Amino acid sequence: MAKQKAVPVIEKRKPRLLWANPFCLLDTSSGASMSVRQMLRQLAANGYEVQILGATIFDNPKGAGLLKEQFPDLNQRLHQLIEANDGPLMHQMIVSNSFNRNHLTSHEESLWYSQYLYMLDSFKPDVVWFYGGQTLDLLIADEARDRGIAVAFYLANGSYQSPRWCRDVDLIVTDSQATAKMYQDKIGFVSKPVGKFIDSTHFVAEHHERRRVLFVNPSWQKGVSIFVQLAEKLERERPDIELEVVEARADWSAVLRETTQRMGQQRRSLKNVTVTGNTSDMRGPYSRARVLVAPSLWWESSGRVLAEAMLNGIPALITNRGGMPEMVGDAGIAFDFPTSCYEEPYQHFLDDKELQPLFDAVVAFYDDDALYQQYVARAFQVGEQKHHIDRATERLLNAFAPLVRERAGNKDFSISQKKRHRQRLPSRATRPELKVDRSLEQLINGKSKGVLGSDTQTTTLHLAENFTWQLKGKIIVLDNRASLIKRGLADQMAATGAFGIVAFDPASEIKTPKQYEGSDTIQLFQHALLGDGQPTTLHACVAPEMSSTLAPLPAEQLPGRYHLGTQEIAELPINTVALDSITGLESLDWLILDELSDAMAVLENGKQYLEQTLLIQARVPFQLTHDKQPSLAELQYWASRNGFRFYRFHNISHYSHLPEKVNERSPCASEQESADILLLPDAERLGTISKERKVKLAFILSSVFAAHDIAFELLSEVDQDKALAFLEARSLLPRLPEQRNVKSVMPPAGPVVLPEEHHNGKPLVSVFCATYNHVDFLEEAIQGIIAQRTRFPFEVIIHDDASTDGTQEIIRKYASQYPDLIKPVYQEKNLFRQGIKATDFCFPRLQGKYVALCEGDDYWTDPEKLQKQFDFMESNEEVVMCHHDAFIFDKNGEVAPSKLRDDFKRSYTQEEMLRNNCFILTLSMFFRKKFTHFPEEKSYVGNGDSFLIALLGQYGKSHYMEDITPAAYRLHGNSIWSSKSVKEKNKMQANTFKWMSRYYKRMKKKDLADYYAWQESNFLKES
């Protein structure tokens, strides 16, 4: 019998694709980035294994919001390789010094290129996909082809007029048939149109108000000059028609000022125009839009907003240019403008006759509803037939199929390399070593990091874990150059809940302002600053940090290190805000002034607010760089006449005269260049300040400036015991509790209700009490429960997790006295060590309509607590949980009269509960039993309160009850939570958020899954 040859087994695997380009695909200001990102998501969903390599390069800094949500400290990660989580995708990125592609240094290009080679040889993709036509981009295709890997290119504009860039490209994917035809006619290459890729969850609105004219990305290329003309005409002739502008790369206020100035009268705003900042979620603007105006003047390959508009059933008014007519079909009107409109810089104006057809079309869509509805129906039809993501995905998969079929990743790259290499030499890249290079910063700033006796910039808050500050109201901060944001302090301050920050960014130095949109704690105003309230001029310099409303000094008056950075490149109009003209501030507690603004003008125009200000922080230059900079003498003179005194210098900046490399080895920077001066209320004014404001000032000085000594002195004037506790918490004084006059602690609720006085029957409320080795505490917890006076039956489930200290004996004693009320659950082996939580184990056993929680080491003090909460919940079906306050105590007495800050003593919305943007005390919780079992993911978390709150948030909101006497929260060394360090707590919280993210991912609630994944990464950074 002949032997049969063994059939080789070919291992099935996913096709591998590597997207490689220095631009960041998380860029919300780039239509190309958003399109490619969605295409990669579709490929991943259809069986592709995708890896992404980019850098922190954006079309506009406004587009960096998504990345900054995960990495708010990007400036601290220069030249590191970071990984950004993006649902099914993971983005690897080299952190560059600038967001601008033209400013990418040769060092950064080298780092990116080395990482790209490493990913080629380690990931071994079947296809490399990229876009871009700069020198580095050409190497992407070159290196892939050298290894025999197929190369694809994404083409979505009309700028690639040379054939060199596609020499090593196997497939050119474009977004429209018009672009494909244009390139084939002009250059001769063939490309495959696949259309636009629109994620309906972020770009298709559920409901449509259809009331506004929408314009997206107010740039010259997009026809903003024509739109401004249209908006002004509508403002005059049809003021009832609303318009909305959504910013992307461009700044609407800047182009409006420039355009209207050229039209004859400069305007800073139009009454009929609402401006929406750059956003990755366009559902809001599209829900309000009646018609989209897109008079694009350059070659528009397709126009992403047109596809989005069609999917939303929004008719479009467009130019008859590029692929735009193809995108809207018969669901829009195309206009032919004069040839001069299509010439750079795309700022040509239409005359009245040329503008009138566009105006008439807008008016017709408002006045002729039958006509409008006809176009709406057409738009929906075009959206479904041309732009639905399923059809686009099918075209994309068909385009890539021939490339992935070759399975280039299975090949030995060295064979191909030997054939192509002149010396027949192959190579294999190893993981590159990423080194930081700050030469560009030093070239611009002219400063060395080395210092001599430096008082360095504060970058972290100085908070004591075991000291509770009792602050009434927020601390209001005005920061005239956004220094707190630039130093990374603002986010930390906001996280405490104690601060409200208003920051001005006159030179637009903050690269990601989007992350502060809608924030309750940080407001950022770009291209504005404090002053005398009059318009002035911003002198824009080569170094943005040197841009100022003060004119730079002539080069001959400056040291050489400032010559480049202070070179003026433009003069821009800018508004100043007089401090006393600001409305809506409850107070001004802390004012921060920079050295590049007219500080004296700010102070002279802010005397009303400054009468109550606690701290003025003003930067003073010792080496002048600009005309009329503030001086120490001027500031001290003003302070002495307005109730302030000099306190200290802070953040002293030094300069080294040594050669850079010498100074790196042996730092020595002897020249002091500038410093902050801190001005505090003088003795007379300090004597008139309330106790609450003294505590505020103490908190600022201790937490921000580490000035614990003067903070202690201020606290001493308010409360001696509090001041001593502060010293103990800061480890400045040994803990001597016996020397303190401790406040007596409120006992558990009483008197106890006798067994026969409790109502019998099916329980309406289940009280759950978890305990473990609480022999010294449990009786007080039980006494507070059995003292509850109710008009309904309730049960008490006490779960003991195999205590070894006599806790079970206490449970048995009370269970025998209250057999119909107390239902003990005893464990022979500790469940917690087996990864099983007491709540999860007992929850199915709870019979009540409502559940109330009380740990075995805490207790309740109000005998009416359960009845009050029950009555409220019965009358308010929309509320899923009610809660209240607690005081903190330890073995020596009361530590704090409240565990909640004032701003936490409130009710929470459903959305706040879903996202855990709330602080609810466990021992106060009273909630509807909406489910009988917890999801499996909850069993993996250490602190399940966050999980429980989020789960309940699916069913309603919460209510804070002020009429319940605060319960008692005990501090002791064996507490699972309060005994942990901050780092340990952060680790526990990160783990909780990880499993919450996985739960919501399983439940297909992507927004919540992504949110908790982001929260996990934030807490991991702090642990």
Side-chain angles (χ1 to χ4, degrees), residues 198-205 280 282-283 286 304 308 312:
I198 312 298
D199 179 7
S200 61
T201 60
H202 287 85
F203 294 94
V204 179
S280 60
M282 284 289 293
R283 287 174 296 180
Y286 286 135
R304 179 183 175 87
E308 294 168 358
N312 280 278

Side-chain angles (χ1 to χ4, degrees), residues 485 490-491 494 499-503 516-524:
I485 294 177
D491 291 331
F499 293 93
I501 301 169
V502 179
Y516 302 111
E517 292 177 6
S519 171
D520 294 331
T521 52
I522 301 175
Q523 295 183 55
L524 177 65

Side-chain angles (χ1 to χ4, degrees), residues 967-1014:
Y969 179 87
R970 189 190 309 265
L971 294 177
H972 61 91
N974 295 324
S975 169
I976 292 177
W977 180 253
S978 62
S979 63
K980 296 287 189 297
S981 68
V982 171
K983 285 190 175 182
E984 289 173 326
K985 289 178 180 177
N986 285 336
K987 285 182 179 178
M988 289 177 69
Q989 198 67 58
N991 180 66
T992 298
F993 288 147
K994 176 181 78 173
W995 288 104
M996 290 173 73
S997 175
R998 293 189 181 183
Y999 164 70
Y1000 283 115
K1001 185 176 182 180
R1002 179 167 63 85
M1003 300 302 293
K1004 302 190 184 309
K1005 295 185 178 181
K1006 183 180 180 303
D1007 287 349
L1008 288 173
D1010 291 347
Y1011 171 78
Y1012 281 113
W1014 171 66

Side-chain angles (χ1 to χ4, degrees), residues 319-609:
T319 45
N320 191 15
R321 188 165 173 79
M324 299 180 72
E326 174 187 336
M327 297 299 286
V328 303
D330 61 354
I333 302 174
F335 296 87
D336 288 306
F337 294 141
T339 304
S340 53
C341 288
Y342 305 119
E343 298 172 355
E344 293 190 64
Y346 306 114
Q347 295 179 2
H348 181 79
F349 288 131
L350 301 177
D351 60 32
D352 290 342
K353 183 178 179 181
E354 293 164 341
L355 180 64
Q356 191 65 39
L358 180 60
F359 176 85
D360 291 341
V362 171
V363 171
F365 278 150
Y366 277 83
D367 293 349
D368 189 340
D369 193 60
L371 173 71
Y372 177 70
Q373 294 302 331
Q374 183 181 8
Y375 272 87
V376 168
R378 292 176 185 174
F380 275 126
Q381 186 175 15
V382 171
E384 177 65 26
Q385 293 178 353
K386 287 189 176 182
H387 307 308
H388 194 284
I389 197 167
D390 290 346
R391 273 166 278 290
T393 301
E394 184 178 352
R395 293 191 289 265
L396 182 67
L397 292 171
N398 290 336
F400 272 109
L403 302 187
V404 300
R405 197 178 296 129
E406 298 298 322
R407 285 293 195 267
N410 290 346
K411 299 175 183 177
D412 184 351
F413 291 164
S414 64
I415 297 174
S416 175
Q417 287 177 318
K418 285 180 181 179
K419 289 179 181 179
R420 295 179 182 275
H421 199 283
R422 292 286 186 182
Q423 313 302 326
R424 302 294 185 222
L425 299 176
S427 65
R428 178 163 180 81
T430 58
R431 187 185 297 274
E433 181 181 356
L434 302 180
K435 296 182 179 179
V436 179
D437 174 70
R438 296 189 179 274
S439 57
L440 179 63
E441 295 178 41
Q442 292 167 359
L443 174 66
I444 294 175
N445 298 335
K447 296 181 180 179
S448 169
K449 296 293 181 182
V451 296
L452 175 69
S454 168
D455 177 10
T456 56
Q457 289 271 342
T458 306
T459 57
T460 58
L461 293 181
H462 306 273
L463 298 172
E465 295 178 24
N466 47 359
F467 182 77
T468 303
W469 292 88
Q470 296 294 315
L471 303 175
K472 288 198 172 182
K474 287 186 181 292
I475 296 168
I476 305 301
V477 189
L478 257 63
D479 185 350
N480 202 37
R481 191 89 179 198
S483 63
L484 296 175
I485 294 177
K486 289 187 284 189
R487 286 156 51 194
L489 266 180
D491 291 331
Q492 297 178 50
M493 292 164 63
T496 68
F499 293 93
I501 301 169
V502 179
F504 297 90
D505 183 20
S508 298
E509 295 176 79
I510 306 303
K511 294 182 178 179
T512 55
K514 177 182 179 296
Q515 65 177 306
Y516 302 111
E517 292 177 6
S519 171
D520 294 331
T521 52
I522 301 175
Q523 295 183 55
L524 177 65
F525 297 95
Q526 292 198 297
H527 203 65
L529 76 164
L530 295 173
D532 59 6
Q534 299 301 314
T536 186
T537 298
L538 178 71
H539 302 272
C541 297
V542 170
E545 66 273 13
M546 301 301 284
S547 297
S548 171
T549 53
L550 308 177
L553 293 175
E556 59 268 18
Q557 297 181 27
L558 293 169
R561 61 185 182 271
Y562 294 116
H563 285 181
L564 176 62
T566 56
Q567 284 185 17
E568 191 170 339
I569 56 177
E571 291 187 357
L572 306 172
I574 189 171
N575 287 329
T576 67
V577 180
L579 189 54
D580 280 342
S581 70
I582 298 176
T583 59
L585 290 182
E586 298 177 6
S587 63
L588 172 57
D589 301 304
W590 175 12
L591 174 65
I592 304 175
L593 300 175
D594 64 290
E595 78 277 27
L596 295 176
S597 304
D598 191 344
M600 297 310 301
V602 177
L603 296 174
E604 291 297 340
N605 289 275
K607 291 185 177 181
Q608 176 183 334
Y609 269 120

Side-chain angles (χ1 to χ4, degrees), residues 604-833:
E604 291 297 340
N605 289 275
K607 291 185 177 181
Q608 176 183 334
Y609 269 120
L610 295 173
E611 285 181 358
Q612 297 298 319
T613 297
L614 300 173
L615 171 65
I616 298 176
Q617 178 181 351
R619 190 100 187 142
V620 176
F622 305 138
Q623 171 65 61
L624 298 182
T625 57
H626 291 68
D627 190 29
K628 297 181 181 179
Q629 285 183 290
S631 71
L632 178 60
E634 286 179 305
L635 290 167
Q636 284 193 294
Y637 183 80
W638 180 91
S640 65
R641 281 158 177 73
N642 290 276
F644 287 89
R645 70 175 180 88
F646 174 80
Y647 168 57
R648 61 169 284 190
F649 285 119
H650 185 68
N651 287 344
I652 301 174
S653 173
H654 293 73
Y655 175 76
S656 175
H657 293 268
L658 292 174
E660 180 183 326
K661 292 194 176 295
V662 175
N663 193 54
E664 286 178 357
R665 291 195 302 269
S666 302
C668 179
S670 60
E671 180 174 342
Q672 295 183 349
E673 290 191 304
S674 61
D676 292 339
I677 65 167
L678 305 185
L679 302 175
L680 300 182
D682 60 21
E684 180 180 354
R685 195 158 73 86
L686 194 62
T688 66
I689 290 177
S690 67
K691 291 182 178 181
E692 289 81 7
R693 292 186 63 73
K694 285 182 180 178
V695 173
K696 273 189 176 182
L697 179 56
F699 178 72
I700 298 170
L701 293 171
S702 174
S703 63
V704 180
F705 300 97
H708 308 310
D709 55 343
I710 191 170
F712 164 74
E713 182 177 274
L714 289 165
L715 287 174
S716 297
E717 297 174 15
V718 177
D719 187 329
Q720 284 284 345
D721 289 340
K722 191 81 172 177
L724 289 172
F726 169 75
L727 291 184
E728 292 174 355
R730 297 240 57 106
S731 301
L732 297 172
L733 186 71
R735 290 188 177 276
L736 299 172
E738 64 275 6
Q739 295 180 1
R740 288 166 46 193
N741 296 319
V742 296
K743 184 178 178 180
S744 59
V745 175
M746 185 183 301
V752 297
V753 178
L754 297 176
E756 59 271 18
E757 295 176 0
H758 280 290
H759 291 265
N760 292 323
K762 186 178 186 327
L764 290 176
V765 175
S766 296
V767 178
F768 178 67
C769 178
T771 185
Y772 173 72
N773 282 356
H774 287 159
V775 67
D776 296 326
F777 317 132
L778 184 58
E779 274 201 274
E780 291 180 316
I782 295 176
Q783 288 170 6
I785 296 171
I786 62 177
Q788 293 298 306
R789 293 193 288 271
T790 67
R791 297 185 294 277
F792 56 82
F794 69 95
E795 65 176 351
V796 183
I797 309 297
I798 304 180
H799 176 276
D800 180 75
D801 204 8
S803 294
T804 59
D805 64 346
T807 296
Q808 291 190 4
E809 284 69 23
I810 295 174
I811 298 173
R812 288 190 176 93
K813 180 181 78 171
Y814 282 94
S816 64
Q817 296 175 13
Y818 291 82
D820 297 326
L821 182 68
I822 297 176
K823 302 169 183 177
V825 178
Y826 304 111
Q827 299 294 344
E828 295 183 2
K829 293 183 179 180
N830 187 275
L831 294 183
F832 187 80
R833 295 193 184 97

